[in-house]
Amino acid sequence: MTATIHIADVIKHYNKVEAVRGVSFDLAAGEMVALIGHNGAGKTTLMKMMLGLIRPTRGTIAVLGENPAAGEFSSRRQLGYLPENVAFDAALSGRETQAFYARLKREPVQEALALLDIVGLGDAAKRRVNTYSKGMRQRLGLAQALIGRPRVLLLDEPTTGLDPELRQTFYDVIQKLAAEGTTVLLSSHALTELEERAGRVIIMNRGLKVADGTLEELR
């Protein structure tokens, strides 16, 4: 299978701190992979390098065949990203926020607004974000990440603040995307929630990849 994400011997230093130490793996289209590790294991740093937000100290990263840290990363529009702590303009409504991101990605606004219903925000779409609970802001972040049917979806602790019913809805949405060919990488510090959903698990510890395989293989 052709890799949509290619990570080869990646190292990232922050002064004397080694956040990522010689990590390598490939992710293919349609894979749903759990990236597991304690806080500080290097998960978020890896995701930020895949997005081109930070550069590796050494090693190679390719996303959809391009270097994400290059000046012209045309594939960025085909990426969806949900950070652990979402931040939106509190004065805008959910609807205005979603429309803003749709225009940024040059995607049809009406299609983006339809995602608010999918994540359970249809009734609150006209309310200002400053009235949203943490779980509602997280759902708005997911709706933003899904704009344009991304080929690669990077989700950092995506179900923080969601109740069990909404977590199930969330996983239904992303499993459907994976079935249609989207590469989904979910970062978490807890494996229990993902063990029946992820086809593959990558475990990080202190910047190192210590395991990579299906749950059956890891067991």
Side-chain angles (χ1 to χ4, degrees):
M1 291 183 291
T2 303
T4 54
I5 295 177
H6 174 65
I7 309 284
D9 300 318
V10 167
I11 295 171
K12 180 61 182 178
H13 292 167
Y14 291 105
N15 296 320
K16 294 182 179 180
V17 176
E18 284 188 307
V20 175
R21 300 189 283 164
V23 171
S24 299
F25 58 80
D26 286 349
L27 303 180
E31 272 200 292
M32 187 165 161
V33 180
L35 183 64
I36 303 295
H38 59 79
N39 293 332
K43 308 184 303 296
T44 298
T45 298
L46 270 173
M47 283 194 170
K48 287 183 176 179
M49 287 190 286
M50 293 177 206
L51 291 162
L53 299 176
I54 56 177
R55 295 173 179 267
T57 305
R58 287 199 300 275
T60 301
I61 296 180
V63 177
L64 298 173
E66 296 185 60
N67 176 5
E72 291 294 327
F73 180 33
S74 60
S75 294
R76 184 173 281 119
R77 284 178 55 201
Q78 300 179 71
L79 269 62
Y81 174 54
L82 176 61
E84 180 177 2
N85 296 302
V86 294
F88 297 114
D89 187 331
L92 296 180
S93 68
R95 183 183 178 86
E96 289 167 338
T97 301
Q98 189 73 348
F100 170 74
Y101 283 103
R103 287 191 290 269
L104 274 184
K105 293 189 83 170
R106 301 176 190 173
E107 296 290 342
V109 171
Q110 288 305 313
E111 290 183 15
L113 294 178
L115 294 168
L116 295 174
D117 289 317
I118 291 174
V119 300
L121 283 178
D123 292 338
K126 294 182 180 179
R127 285 171 46 188
R128 288 189 178 186
V129 172
N130 64 0
T131 69
Y132 282 12
S133 67
K134 181 176 181 179
M136 292 172 75
R137 291 195 299 272
Q138 196 74 2
R139 282 183 270 161
L140 182 57
L142 176 60
Q144 171 273 134
L146 296 176
I147 291 172
R149 301 185 69 81
R151 290 179 60 194
V152 173
L153 192 55
L154 304 176
L155 306 169
D156 195 354
E157 302 287 352
T159 58
T160 300
L162 299 186
D163 62 40
E165 183 179 355
L166 285 169
R167 287 184 185 212
Q168 184 58 51
T169 300
F170 163 83
Y171 285 117
D172 289 345
V173 170
I174 60 171
Q175 284 177 313
K176 184 174 185 291
L177 282 172
E180 294 171 355
T182 297
T183 301
V184 180
L185 182 65
L186 299 114
S187 166
S188 179
H189 61 268
L191 179 57
T192 51
E193 186 176 304
L194 297 169
E195 60 183 346
E196 294 181 0
R197 298 179 172 98
R200 175 179 164 200
V201 178
I202 296 172
I203 300 177
M204 298 284 296
N205 184 38
R206 297 181 181 178
L208 289 169
K209 185 185 81 170
V210 295
D212 184 353
T214 67
L215 275 171
E216 287 303 313
E217 290 169 343
L218 297 186
R219 285 192 180 107

